[in-house]
Each structure stands twice: as structure tokens, then as C-alpha cells.
Amino acid sequence: MEISYNWLKQYVDFTLTPEDVSEILTNTGLEVEEFETWESVKGGLKGVVIGEIKECEQHPDADKLKVTKVDIGTGELLQIVCGAPNCRVGLKSPIATIGANLYPVNSEEVFAIKKSKIRGVESFGMICAEDELGLGESHSGIMELPSDTPIGLSAAEYFKVESDIVYTIGLTPNRSDGFSHIGVARDLRAALRGVYNVGLDLKLPTSVVAQKFSSPIAVKIENAKTCKRYSALYIKNVKVQESPLWLQNRLKAIGVKPINNIVDVTNFVLHEMGQPLHAFDAAKIAGEQVIVRNCNAGTAFVTLDGVERKLDGEDLMICDTQRALCIAGVYGGLDSGVSDSTTDVFLESAFFDPISVRKTATRHALRTDASQHFEKTTDINATTLAALRAAALIVELGGGEVSEMVDVYPDAVANAVVETSFARINELAGTNLPQEKVEAILNDLGFVIQPMSGGMLHLTVPTYRVEVTREADVVEEILRIYGYNTVPMPKRLHASLSFSPAIDYLKMDNKAADYLVGAGYFEASTNSITQSKFEQDKTLQEQTVRLLNSQTTELDALRTSMVYGLLEVVSRNINYKNQDIQFFEFGNTYHKTAEGYSQQRHLTLLLSGKTREQNWISKAEKFTFFHLKTDVLNLLNRFMGGYVTTSFENESVFEFGLKIMVEGQLAGTIGKLKSKICQQQDVKQDVFFADINWSVVLERSAFQQVRFSELSKYPAVQRDLSMIVEDALAFEKIEQLSFAENKKLLRSVSLFDVYKGEKIEAGKKSYAVSFTFLDETKTLTDKDIDKVMNRLMDKFEKEIGAQIRRG
């Protein structure tokens, strides 16, 4: 939400600096995220003054240039070279002096005025056209000002350049009362009076206008559940024209584009009071009746942006007797709004249900200023006040006559009431608040205080504070104005200590992230909402959770796999010439099951490109499957110790890969992604991907105790063994058989050579395997080792048909 400093001063006449205002608003709960200077003409025309051309002669070396002498009121004439065809003696025009920075129209670059030499003649400034100053589009010549314009007058003063400070406020969902300039001014004034003892009045705008006739257009509400109040005024004989400069500047400062005086007034009142309005061309309302109703599902409706949209049966519409005119609270229709030919206006000020507006706006991907206000909810009892305020401004800026109010309000909403006491307020606040401060704050915030017997207070809550319904809510209102920082810290705190063996997920995530960053990885973060068309696995397709109200046609489902989001990141990096990639990401996947819905926590790793660039001492080296496998197993071993095993994986997204097993449970997969998966994101280089079910790892590792043991006093012994096995046999099988035979002495099994060739029969291969043995209690002898190796060879021959040449 954008709030203008100058606009606020219309309601509270403070003398605070922008920094002070920012601090006070943030302390009241209206957090100022940033503030910046806004100028009605970019740069503020600093260094530009009004001058008069006193001399104008032909340039000695250029037919289209003139050498002028210009009076800018300093007592000395400036020599300026000018190429404008209308340059002549006696002409008054804006002069940019040396040091000025100009922001020309349709240019992103700053044009700095410096002393220059043009075709051999020195020039000490520039005589400006309107586009060079950012005042218009014309570049046909330098600007010609009236002859009575004072010489030396600053251009900013002459053109009435306005400077403002614009605050960006991060409004929380419960503070719909602060979604306007008056709402912010109310809090600011309350804080100034209640905390800083600065007694300022809240100057609210006038809403008085003569109402001379009955509206010829009636209003009928057919859906009172989603339209609880509809107020309207008929204004005839108006003149649609450009808004005055003050109104345009107010809107431009907060990022709203001026249209015409009628539309600008509705936007102004929206941001002033927080009540959305809509102006219809009364001549385009058929049957002299406005009907608030729902249309049939599938009805075509063309909105103001020229897009034809298919309506949902739940979309609330503003209609006449023949057609739909407007999506209620969201967006107007193409052919029902105010145009230059409009003479009569039907002005709508209504209360629409927040949930209904949010669903409609999301369904049609239309997030307008009006819909955002209705979504947070508006003050149902302010519709007539806002309509009268807008009518008064329209009459002031465009003439016309105003009808009596049309106000359909089937079930009036009463103010909420809270009963409390000063003692109870202090008890909940945890401090002793001065009674006069409490009363002043509540009065300034719009509460009505009625004392009751027994020290009780009867508080009437204004309807713009819909969330204030309890004593605690009232105390929160008081404290946010009084200042949480002013509540003293007690000398003693009472707290109960509790112990829970729950997993510290953040700590475990950070531990893993620290390791991966140290290994050269960068953390990525991708959207949980993805395109369902990416998923190739039929099982996962059946588990896809589809969005009912997708904001785009492509992002229509929650991800069932992390791979596609990371591939999008890879594609983007490759497009930016970053082809050597190491990424990891923590995230959830979402699945539809027979029991309902489930989500799983994942850690994914991705490698692609080169691990090392070529240099004078070594060649370039590409990432391989084994780089990724090493990183994954090293990471998991930090959490799981020796409980991690692997087996071959034939998952659909991999050309080849491994399953990661933790204590017999599947904890993830590693592999090289299939090229067709990569090509969906236009990635042509090899990509290696690991998907770890992080929930499984955390459950198994959270309560693992770290065990320490001293280094063995006895040496390890290594033996090598060569064997011929079936070509289809995986080394994993040999590893499993080895540890199954002897866990006590065997420490590791590694494959150091594989041979296939003419010297071995077809369908066979030769494995060279190394075994490492260690006994913690003694030095192993050859006899000990031979005994174990003989049992291993017997097992290999029997279990896998290995051919072993025994010595």
C-alpha cells in the first residue's frame, strides 16, 4: 500500500520529518517497508530557470545552429549554442544550467548539462524543448513562454512541480481500517496525541452536497448474501474533462494513472477513505434499474481491458435489465463506464462479501485496487459517506446536479460492543496505563466510551474495526498506539521449562546445507506450483494435486517431483551462459492418496557441466554420476553413520541410477536424467540428479548418538582377488555376499578393475576386487586371512558361479 506524505498532511497538520512519520507509523503496526521521494516532473527541474534570449546569431561553422546570449537573471549573459528552428531574440524559455540533470520523455538515461564546445563554439547550458524537460512529447522546438514570465524564476516554481514522499506500508490482513489515507492519518494523530502529547485535530473532508431530485435508476439486490449494502447517487449534466493538477499529482504519487475527472475522483476517494466506488454512464443502463445478481455459468462478459471472460455461477455481477455491466467489486465492463461523451453518471458505493470478491478475482486473475480493498473488507456503514464525498468532488470539478441517495441495506450491521474496565485493561497490558491516556487513545481511534457501574466500561467499536470483538483486542489497540516499547520490562519473568525430543528440522537442514555449500553447491528455491504436463510418471500423474483456482493456465498443479523446477533453474542459468551448475534445494512434494492428501520433505542435488575448467596443468573435467554419488553418500554418512546402502535403480526419469537405502527403507534415488526429460526445458547437456526423502533421513538420524572410538593399535591387511563372473552381475552382489560372510574382520570391499575382451568368453567379465581386514584386538596373520578368503571364494563360486584361479 502506498501512502503520500503530502496527502496525509491534508488530514493532520503535522511538522514531522518523513523519517519521524515512518517510525511512528511502524510503531503503531503500520510497518513502513520503505519510503522514497516522488516528483511530478522527474528530477524536479533542479537547475532549470526561466531565461530570455538577448542575442541570436548564426553559428560560424553550422547552418542549422545559432549562437545565443541568454539572460537568466544573474547579471551576466550565458552563451548557449541552440539548434531549434524557433530560436530568436526576445523569446523566453526554460534554460538548463551547467550541473542540471534532465530526464527526457521516453528515455531511461539522465542527460547531464555540462560545459561543452559545439563545432568550435563554447556553450554554457541548454535552451529546452518540453520533451527534454519531461513535460510533454513535443520536440518541434524550444518552449515559448509568455512575455511577462519573470526572468530568473525557477522552472520548478513556474511549472508548479510538486515533490512528495511516498511510503510503502506492509499492511497486515487484520488492518483493513488502515487501507486508506484517512485510516493512516487516524493512527498517526492518535499516536501524536497519546504518546507525544501533540494535540492535533483530524480534519476530515466535507461530504455535503445539494441533493435535488430522486434517482431515475432503481436498485434491486437479488443476492443479499454477497451484496449486503448498495448505495448509489445519480449525477446529471456533468462535464467529463481532464482533472486538475492537484488531483493528478495525488494519484500519480501513489502509482495511479489519471483518466478523467470522474474516474479520478472515484480513485481518489478509494485511496482517501478506503471505499471502492464505480461510475457508470447512466445512459448505458437499460431499463432504469441496476440489479445485483449472479449470471449463469459460462456467460461471456467483456471486461474493461477488452478480454472476453467466461463467468462462473458464483461471480456476483452488476446488471441492468438486459445485460451484465460489471464484475461486482472487481472490474468494470467494456461498454458501461464513463467516456468523454458521458453527461449523466450513476455512482455506485457498495459492500461486497470479502470471500466472494477474493474468489472471483482469483478465478479471473484480476487483482485490482478495488478487489484488494473488498478482500480485506470495507466499512459497511461508510458507503453513503463515500458516495457523498465523491459527488461533492465531481460537482466541484465537472459540474452537475446530485440526486437523493439510493440506499438498499436489507440487514443493518450494528456496532460491536466490548465491556471491560481500566483494571482489566492494565491486567492484560501488564502495566499501569494512565486512565486519561487510555481514554484519549480510544476516542482518537473512534471508540465510544460509556462508563458503567462498578468501574466497568461500555465500549462501542467502530464498524471499520471488524476484528475488535474482545477485551484483548481493545488492549492491543491501546498498546499499539501507546507504544509496546514504552511498556517496562518486569524485573522477574515466570516461565515453565519443558523438554521435547522433537526433531529440530531447521538445525538439521542447516547442517546439511553447510556441508553442501562447503562442497561447492548453491541453494536454489523453486515454486511448489508447477505445470502438470511435465510429469511423465503415470503413478505420479495419478497423485497430482490440481489447483481449483489457478492464476495461470500453465501453473495448474502442486509438484509431485522436485526435478522439473530445478531443471527450469538449470535452463535459465544455461541461457545466461552459466553452464557449470551445482544446486541443492529443500522442498516439499504433494500427493493425492486414497486417504486424502500427503506431503513429503525432500532434499535434491543436481550437477551439470564441468567440475573443473582447463588450465595449464590439467584438462577440463566434467561432472559424472560418481561425483554426485560421492557427495550424497558423504552427506548421508554424516547423519546416518554406516547405515546407508545402495542398489540399482530403474526409475522412469533416469537413464541409469541407484536407490539409496537407509536401514532397509528407500530414502532416495541418484542417477543421470533421461535426455527427453531435460529437453522439456531445452537442456541439452548431461544432468545428474539426486532426490533424497529428507523426512526418512531425519527420522532415522535425529536420535542417533555420536560414538567415538580410538584408532586401532593393529594394522589393517589388504588382499586382492580376481574372478570371472557373468556380464550381468553387479558389483553390489559381491559386496553384499562379502559382508554377509564376515562382518567381524571385513572393513571394506572395493572394485579396482573390470576387464572384458577377447581373452574372456562372451557374456563374461573379469572383476578385480580388493578386501580390507582389521581386528581391533590383535595383529592378523596370513593364516587368519587365508581362512577368511577361502570361505569368501567358496561363497562366490557357489552363489554367483564365479571362476576363481586359486594359487
Side-chain angles (χ1 to χ4, degrees), residues 504-514 586 601 694 698:
D504 188 341
Y505 292 105
L506 181 60
K507 181 178 178 181
M508 304 293 274
D509 286 359
N510 286 337
K511 182 179 177 182
D514 288 344
F586 291 99
R601 181 79 169 158
W694 197 235
L698 293 183

Side-chain angles (χ1 to χ4, degrees), residues 83 143 315 344 353 646 658:
M143 293 187 72
D315 294 336
D344 294 354
D353 178 69
T646 60
L658 291 177

Side-chain angles (χ1 to χ4, degrees), residues 18 29 45 56 68 70 89 94 130 179 206 221 245 270 301 338 340 390 484 506 548 566 585 602 636 694 761 802:
L45 299 184
C56 182
T68 68
V70 182
V89 172
E130 66 174 36
F179 207 177
T206 179
I221 300 177
L245 192 60
L270 166 64
F301 179 72
V338 172
D340 291 343
Y484 287 104
L506 181 60
L548 295 177
L566 272 179
E585 179 183 14
H602 290 257
L636 294 182
W694 197 235
E761 63 180 289

Side-chain angles (χ1 to χ4, degrees), residues 30-330:
L30 298 172
E31 182 183 358
V32 176
E33 297 175 344
E34 64 177 354
F35 62 89
E36 59 185 6
T37 300
W38 172 87
E39 293 164 322
S40 57
V41 177
K42 192 173 181 180
L45 299 184
K46 296 179 181 66
V48 182
V49 297
I50 307 303
E52 181 180 357
I53 300 174
K54 294 295 187 179
E55 299 178 17
C56 182
E57 298 179 355
Q58 186 65 43
H59 191 288
D61 195 30
D63 293 340
K64 295 184 178 181
L65 297 179
K66 303 286 179 62
V67 180
T68 68
K69 295 291 180 68
V70 182
D71 181 7
I72 60 170
T74 61
E76 296 183 4
L77 298 182
L78 287 182
Q79 178 171 287
I80 299 175
V81 177
C82 179
N86 60 333
C87 180
R88 62 184 184 274
V89 172
L91 187 147
K92 290 185 176 179
S93 188
I95 310 299
T97 59
I98 292 174
N101 289 321
L102 304 184
Y103 298 82
V105 171
N106 301 323
S107 174
E108 297 296 325
E109 297 183 1
V110 180
F111 186 75
I113 303 300
K114 303 176 182 178
K115 176 184 175 182
S116 60
K117 184 174 286 189
I118 302 175
R119 303 291 291 270
V121 177
E122 289 185 324
S123 183
F124 298 89
M126 186 169 78
I127 309 174
C128 301
E130 66 174 36
D131 67 325
E132 293 166 336
L133 296 176
L135 294 172
E137 301 284 343
S138 174
H139 192 71
S140 59
I142 56 178
M143 293 187 72
E144 299 190 21
L145 304 181
S147 59
D148 59 352
T149 307
I151 294 173
L153 181 69
S154 73
E157 182 180 351
Y158 178 80
F159 291 107
K160 295 181 173 58
V161 175
E162 183 176 347
S163 179
D164 198 356
I165 300 294
V166 178
Y167 298 93
T168 299
I169 295 179
L171 194 67
T172 54
N174 65 321
R175 291 301 312 279
S176 59
D177 64 296
F179 207 177
S180 65
H181 280 78
I182 287 179
V184 173
R186 184 190 300 116
D187 275 11
L188 180 61
R189 182 249 193 163
L192 289 174
R193 281 166 51 91
V195 182
Y196 298 91
N197 297 314
V198 179
L200 297 176
D201 294 327
L202 181 63
K203 297 182 289 186
L204 296 176
T206 179
S207 297
V208 178
V209 64
Q211 296 173 265
K212 301 181 178 179
F213 60 95
S214 297
S215 170
I217 295 178
V219 172
K220 179 183 178 182
I221 300 177
E222 291 187 359
N223 187 344
K225 181 180 178 181
T226 50
C227 178
K228 298 180 180 179
R229 188 177 189 181
Y230 195 101
S231 308
L233 292 170
Y234 191 102
I235 309 171
K236 64 182 181 180
N237 300 326
V238 299
K239 182 179 180 181
V240 178
Q241 57 191 356
E242 187 177 73
S243 295
L245 192 60
W246 69 265
L247 179 53
Q248 292 191 44
N249 285 341
R250 286 286 178 268
L251 297 177
K252 287 178 181 178
I254 60 172
V256 178
K257 181 181 179 181
I259 305 296
N260 56 54
N261 56 341
I262 308 300
V263 175
D264 292 349
V265 163
T266 63
N267 285 328
F268 178 85
V269 174
L270 166 64
H271 292 282
E272 178 184 57
M273 303 181 68
Q275 172 62 45
L277 306 171
H278 190 75
F280 296 94
D281 186 332
K284 297 175 182 178
I285 299 176
E288 296 186 338
Q289 188 177 37
V290 163
I291 305 168
V292 185
R293 62 180 178 87
N294 298 86
C295 293
N296 294 328
T299 300
F301 179 72
V302 182
T303 47
L304 195 59
D305 55 2
V307 177
E308 181 178 286
R309 305 176 190 274
K310 299 296 183 181
L311 299 178
D312 187 272
E314 293 185 359
D315 294 336
L316 188 67
M317 303 297 293
I318 309 300
C319 308
D320 58 20
T321 58
Q322 297 179 4
R323 59 173 183 151
L325 304 173
C326 173
I327 302 177
V330 179

